[in-house]
């Protein structure tokens, strides 16, 4: 089988998979419906301050797995839904940022700077259209880069990296994530160390489950859902609840500014913002391809680069920060182009780069039959590699989601402004209960809910102490893989204690790991994680 | 005390706490609670033991603590004070009550029903039967949501209770009604 056959099989798996219903005799596959459902849910969630794409992914995952089961046929509908949520949330975050000066997602903060002044000047619809076009363009560009790069990177990894090099690559990834996320290298390393420690409780090769303190409850280890949902979702819920509790305030209804004038997005507008979209899409894609660096930094860099260009090329027009359409375009293209590129390390190396990628890996691990990593891209000639078909199915799902984004995304995002009216102090306790229920239906024991609460408190403390929680989550996911690969590499090299530095490639990876930590130590000051 | 000093102190406590935790891990918990050492020799073959990976994790925590100790400056995080701990204590108390309600409401009501009807009823036998299987989740879940909303609003209102009950009913409709294989709390434990 050739590459084209695999691409065709992937497309067919999405369009000709199990049929849900038919329209005028044309069967509509369940995967397509799930992508649409995820996309619409993502926009709603993104437009709701206090909610985020990963929350919706976390809560819907057990329901989706219950619906579709643990068969390989479940992979594309479930992961298609999650991809839809990821993409929908990206554009949804711009809605409250523009209409109400409240970013729906953290990466939409920069959108408020020009989006809200435009809305106040009676140009809200136009601002939303600019945000939509820029976001969809950045996202599509990023997906194309993903589709072109991930297979080649994976093939390179499989061809040139043996077990010691793969171990060193995992160490480099963890060092990079710990060093670059947040403002303090030390805190990033603490977060990573805690994640590794949690991953090693009750695992290992001995009969006795290590670090279990002789307890039957701990002997089963920490279920992956409790650690991830606890630190990522419950930690954020606890922190936000405390902020609300301290302020004794609720997000009451806010008035949308009145609209006037020409709201249409014309060809001249698109020509005006196109250079900003292009530049930010490249920035966001490069940032997104590096594991751990989030869309917020991409938005900041895209905005800054756009601002410089704007001041130089258009000194007489509305400046950035005062309602410049180019400011919205630069931000939205940059933060949206992170989402596709973030999947490059996931699909080619098996290393998640952000929270959304964590849930895609979690879905793949829960369902089985697809292990994101370099082994996916084996173009077997004699037999069909089902994982490769799924990978091309995922690429197809991403392009379908982009198509939805271009066609109905703009219209839908303009009607979800109403979500700002949902009071946060009512929403968060419901999210807490929903998350705990999602954990219980997966684990069927109250101790799992207590574990999640424990990890939630850890996530809360991390946020209060300025420790980024993402290194914890990624280390928790990669901890087992790191130990297994190191064990195999150690055995394969005949018990060579220096296996991480004897091979030149592994030595380079290790040197880079040390260098990235050492260079990050020179950061001038902590910034908020 | 300025904000910067307070934060430097928070970082100092964090660093010392991490270093102490890492030392405790490396020299007490890991040696006492793993069956194999860092490196094992089995039939002339050297393999990595179960203690190595957690020891490296402990080293990372300690190293991070040392870096925070020497990097100490910064002014971004809020720090943790008595008010934060007070919030956590209240939150945990509310969650503990909610979980207790989830766990014991169903068995308690079944026991009462058994007394009234003079039948031998057990919750375990009824845990897959409506309405018994919803009792714990409905009371515990509603309590959790209502308590947290009331804590922020500073008062308990009928509207809060109605919102909480409705939200839990929606969760029941979402997780239980369409699926036979999913168990709501506490039905997997009893």
């Amino acid at each position: 089988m050739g590459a084209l056959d695999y691409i065709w099989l992937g497309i067919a798996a999405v369009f000709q998979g199990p049929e849900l219903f038919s329209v005028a005799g044309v069967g509509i596959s369940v995967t397509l419906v799930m992508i649409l459902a995820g996309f619409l849910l993502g926009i709603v969630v993104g437009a709701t301050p206090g909610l985020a794409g990963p929350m919706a992914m976390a809560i819907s995952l057990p329901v989706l797995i219950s619906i579709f089961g643990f068969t390989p046929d479940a992979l594309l509908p479930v992961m298609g839904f999650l991809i839809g949520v990821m993409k929908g949330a990206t554009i949804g975050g711009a809605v409250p940022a523009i209409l109400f000066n409240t970013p729906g997602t953290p990466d939409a903060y920069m959108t408020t700077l020009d989006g809200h002044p435009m809305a106040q000047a009676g140009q809200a619809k136009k601002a939303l259209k600019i945000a939509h076009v820029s976001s969809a363009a950045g996202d599509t560009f990023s997906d194309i880069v993903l589709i072109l790069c991930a297979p080649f990177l994976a093939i390179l990894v499989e061809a040139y990296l043996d077990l010691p090099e793969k171990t060193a690559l995992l160490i480099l990834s963890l060092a990079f994530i710990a060093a670059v996320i947040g403002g303090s290298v030390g805190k990033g390393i603490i977060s990573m160390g805690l994640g590794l420690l949690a991953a090693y409780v009750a695992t290992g090769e001995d009969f006795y489950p290590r670090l279990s303190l002789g307890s039957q409850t701990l002997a089963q280890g920490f279920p992956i859902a409790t650690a991830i949902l606890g630190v990522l979702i419950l930690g954020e819920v606890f922190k936000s609840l405390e902020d609300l509790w301290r302020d004794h305030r609720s997000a009451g209804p806010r008035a949308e500014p009145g609209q006037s004038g020409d709201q249409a997005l014309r060809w001249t507008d698109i020509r005006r913002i196109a250079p900003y979209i292009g530049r930010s899409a490249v920035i966001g894609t490069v940032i997104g391809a590096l594991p751990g660096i989030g869309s917020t930094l991409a938005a900041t860099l895209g905005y800054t680069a756009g601002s410089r260009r704007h001041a130089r090329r258009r000194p007489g027009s509305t400046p950035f920060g005062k309602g410049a359409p180019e400011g919205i375009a630069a931000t939205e293209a940059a933060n949206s182009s992170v989402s596709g590129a973030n999947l490059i390390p996931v699909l080619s190396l098996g290393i998640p780069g952000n929270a959304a990628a964590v849930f895609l890996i979690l879905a793949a691990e829960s369902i089985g039959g697809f292990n994101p990593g370099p082994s996916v891209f084996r173009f077997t000639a004699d037999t069909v590699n089902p994982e490769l078909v799924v990978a091309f199915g995922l690429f197809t799902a991403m392009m379908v989601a982009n198509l939805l984004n271009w066609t109905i995304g703009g219209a839908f995002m303009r009607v979800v402004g109403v979500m700002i009216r949902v009071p946060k102090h009512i929403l968060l306790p419901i999210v807490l209960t929903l998350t705990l229920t999602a954990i219980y239906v997966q684990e069927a024991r109250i101790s799992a809910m207590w574990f999640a609460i424990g990890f939630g408190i850890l996530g809360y403390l991390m946020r209060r102490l300025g420790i980024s929680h993402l290194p914890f989550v990624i280390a928790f996911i990669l901890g087992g893989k790191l130990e297994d690969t190191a064990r195999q590499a150690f055995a394969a090299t005949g018990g060579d204690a220096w296996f991480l530095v004897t091979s030149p490639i592994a030595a380079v990876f290790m040197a880079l790991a040390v260098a990235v930590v050492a260079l990050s130590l020179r950061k001038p000051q902590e910034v908020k994680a | 005390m300025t904000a910067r000093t307070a934060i430097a102190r928070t970082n100092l406590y964090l660093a010392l706490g991490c270093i102490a935790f890492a030392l405790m891990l490396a020299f007490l918990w890991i040696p006492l609670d793993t069956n194999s050492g860092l490196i094992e020799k089995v039939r002339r073959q050297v393999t990595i033991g179960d203690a190595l990976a957690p020891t490296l994790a402990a080293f990372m925590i300690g190293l991070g603590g040392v870096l925070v100790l020497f990097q100490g400056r910064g002014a971004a995080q809020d720090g943790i004070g008595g008010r934060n701990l007070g919030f956590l204590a209240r939150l945990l108390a509310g969650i503990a009550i909610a979980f207790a309600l989830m766990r014991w409401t169903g068995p308690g009501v079944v026991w009462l029903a058994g007394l009234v009807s003079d039948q031998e009823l057990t919750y375990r036998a009824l845990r897959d039967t409506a309405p018994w299987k919803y009792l714990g989740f409905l009371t515990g879940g509603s309590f959790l949501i209502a308590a947290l909303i009331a804590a922020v609003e500073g008062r308990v209102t009928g509207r809060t209770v109605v919102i909480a009950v409705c939200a839990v009913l929606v969760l029941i409709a979402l997780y239980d009604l369409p699926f036979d294989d999913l168990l709501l709390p506490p039905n997997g434990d009893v």
Side-chain angles (χ1 to χ4, degrees):
Chain A
M1 287 191 55
L4 285 176
D5 297 317
Y6 273 111
I7 294 170
W8 172 245
L9 281 176
I11 294 170
V14 170
F15 286 94
Q16 297 172 1
E19 187 182 310
L20 194 65
F21 59 87
S22 63
V23 177
V26 179
I28 305 295
S29 84
V30 67
T31 305
L32 287 176
V33 176
M34 293 309 292
I35 297 168
L36 173 66
F39 179 69
L40 297 181
L41 177 68
I43 295 179
V44 173
V45 164
T48 310
L51 293 185
M55 281 188 187
M57 295 166 101
I59 290 160
S60 47
L61 190 55
V63 175
L64 294 171
I65 290 175
S66 295
I67 293 172
F68 293 102
F70 295 89
T71 63
D73 283 346
L75 280 166
L76 283 176
V78 172
M79 294 178 87
F81 182 90
L82 298 181
I83 285 171
V85 171
M86 182 177 81
K87 289 183 176 293
T90 306
I91 64 164
V95 178
I98 290 169
L99 296 182
F100 305 102
N101 206 25
T102 305
T105 48
D107 56 16
Y109 168 72
M110 306 299 277
T111 309
T112 61
L113 300 180
D114 290 288
H116 192 59
M118 271 188 82
Q120 283 180 315
Q123 296 277 289
K125 276 187 185 165
K126 190 165 188 167
L128 285 172
K129 284 175 185 170
I130 289 168
H132 170 244
V133 166
S134 312
S135 180
D139 203 353
T140 308
F141 173 79
S142 174
D143 286 351
I144 291 168
V145 174
L146 162 75
I147 293 166
L148 293 177
C149 287
F152 290 105
L153 189 58
I155 289 167
L156 278 178
V157 167
E158 274 298 88
Y160 292 103
L161 304 192
D162 207 346
L163 288 165
E165 291 86 356
K166 284 180 181 167
T167 311
L169 182 62
L170 283 170
I171 293 171
L172 170 61
S173 306
L174 286 174
F176 187 80
I177 290 164
V180 300
I181 298 180
S184 162
V185 186
K187 290 180 179 179
I189 291 175
I190 290 171
S191 179
M192 182 188 72
L194 290 172
L196 289 174
L197 182 67
Y200 295 141
V201 169
T203 52
E205 291 193 338
D206 278 335
F207 181 70
Y208 174 74
R210 66 183 168 197
L211 308 179
S212 59
L213 298 167
S215 144
Q216 279 304 309
T217 312
L218 268 183
Q220 298 173 56
F222 298 121
I224 190 166
T226 64
I228 293 174
L229 300 195
V231 170
L232 274 181
I233 312 294
L234 298 190
E236 183 61 35
V237 168
F238 292 166
K239 178 181 173 287
S240 303
L241 272 174
E242 189 192 23
D243 291 341
L244 290 170
W245 178 64
R246 195 181 283 178
D247 297 344
H248 277 281
R249 64 181 154 77
S250 60
R254 300 177 203 187
E256 196 175 328
Q259 301 304 305
S260 61
D262 180 19
Q263 302 283 347
L265 187 64
R266 305 197 180 280
W267 181 239
T268 48
D269 296 317
I270 292 175
R271 276 179 54 190
R272 202 169 129 198
I273 60 174
Y276 298 87
I277 294 176
R279 185 181 286 225
S280 284
V282 173
I283 290 172
T285 303
V286 172
I287 294 284
L290 301 170
I293 305 184
S295 48
T296 307
L297 177 65
T300 311
L301 291 179
Y303 187 85
T304 311
S307 173
R308 282 197 198 120
R309 178 195 156 92
H310 194 65
R312 204 172 52 242
R313 298 273 179 96
R314 294 175 179 273
S317 59
T318 313
F320 269 42
K322 302 285 181 194
E326 294 89 345
I328 301 174
T331 308
E332 284 299 314
N335 66 24
S336 300
S337 58
V338 168
S339 67
N342 254 167
L343 297 187
I344 293 175
V346 178
L347 290 175
S348 57
L349 308 171
I351 295 168
N354 65 359
V358 164
F359 286 105
L360 285 175
I361 286 195
L362 200 57
E365 281 192 3
S366 304
I367 296 168
F370 182 68
N371 299 302
S375 61
V376 166
F377 291 95
R378 283 201 188 113
F379 287 84
T380 48
D382 305 331
T383 54
V384 177
N385 173 4
E387 289 191 291
L388 189 51
V389 175
V390 172
F392 281 112
L394 289 179
F395 292 154
T396 309
M398 296 178 90
M399 297 318 282
V400 169
N402 284 332
L403 191 67
L404 292 172
N405 199 349
W406 281 107
T407 49
I408 61 169
F412 192 70
M413 76 184 277
R414 287 193 286 277
V415 299
V416 293
V418 69
M419 293 309 292
I420 190 84
R421 296 192 169 89
V422 180
K424 207 173 168 182
H425 75 285
I426 291 176
L427 201 60
L428 289 174
I430 296 173
V431 169
L432 171 66
T433 312
L434 193 55
T435 309
L436 291 172
T437 311
I439 287 167
Y440 192 89
V441 298
Q442 288 179 81
E443 300 296 328
R445 54 189 171 121
I446 284 182
S447 60
M449 298 204 302
W450 275 117
F451 281 147
I453 295 291
F455 281 113
I457 290 172
L458 179 66
Y460 163 87
L461 294 174
M462 284 176 151
R463 284 166 175 84
R464 286 285 177 232
L465 290 167
I467 300 175
S468 173
H469 50 276
L470 206 53
F472 175 95
V473 173
I474 293 173
F476 185 83
I477 288 176
L478 293 181
K481 192 176 176 179
L482 174 65
E483 189 182 20
D484 290 344
T485 317
R487 278 184 198 272
Q488 290 168 20
F490 188 69
T493 54
D496 178 8
W498 300 98
F499 72 89
L500 285 174
V501 289
T502 44
S503 131
I505 298 176
V508 168
F509 286 158
M510 292 305 292
L512 283 173
V514 174
V516 77
V517 172
L519 288 173
S520 302
L521 282 172
R522 299 171 64 181
K523 275 182 200 170
Q525 201 172 25
E526 275 188 41
V527 289
K528 200 146 196 151
Chain B
M1 190 165 60
T2 64
R4 182 169 279 272
T5 319
I7 287 153
R9 184 167 289 183
T10 304
N11 279 347
L12 177 71
Y13 292 150
L14 172 69
L16 294 178
C18 285
I19 293 167
F21 181 57
L23 291 172
M24 188 276 290
L25 264 176
F27 294 107
L28 283 175
W29 190 6
I30 295 170
L32 293 175
D33 208 15
T34 47
N35 263 2
S36 58
L38 300 176
I39 301 290
E40 290 288 295
K41 201 168 183 179
V42 182
R43 292 191 208 105
R44 280 193 234 168
Q45 255 200 333
V46 185
T47 58
I48 290 177
D50 267 5
L52 184 65
T55 306
L56 288 175
F59 173 74
M60 291 297 162
I61 296 168
L63 174 69
V66 171
L67 291 177
V68 171
L69 193 64
F70 289 105
Q71 206 194 3
R73 61 194 171 179
Q77 83 274 22
D78 310 324
I80 292 179
R83 291 183 73 178
N84 303 104
L85 297 177
F87 164 77
L88 277 183
R90 289 180 198 204
L91 180 73
L92 278 177
I95 290 170
I97 294 170
F99 283 10
L101 283 170
M102 271 185 203
R103 176 66 182 82
W104 297 110
T105 302
V109 173
V110 169
W111 178 75
L112 275 177
L115 275 185
V116 172
S117 64
D118 206 21
Q119 286 178 297
E120 262 198 41
L121 298 175
T122 62
Y123 185 74
R124 190 172 176 77
L126 295 168
R127 67 176 180 168
D128 202 23
T129 315
W132 308 102
K133 63 176 179 176
Y134 300 130
L135 291 174
F137 185 62
L138 189 64
T139 49
S142 302
F143 174 83
L144 184 60
I145 295 173
L148 291 172
I149 295 174
V152 173
E153 290 182 344
R155 62 200 167 110
V156 184
T157 62
R159 173 178 156 269
T160 304
V161 177
V162 170
I163 288 171
V165 171
C166 289
V168 175
L169 289 174
V170 170
L171 290 186
I172 290 172
L174 181 69
Y175 282 110
D176 188 75
L177 294 183
F179 309 112
D180 291 332
D181 56 335
L182 295 188
L183 290 173
L184 288 171
N187 300 328
D189 289 89
V190 290

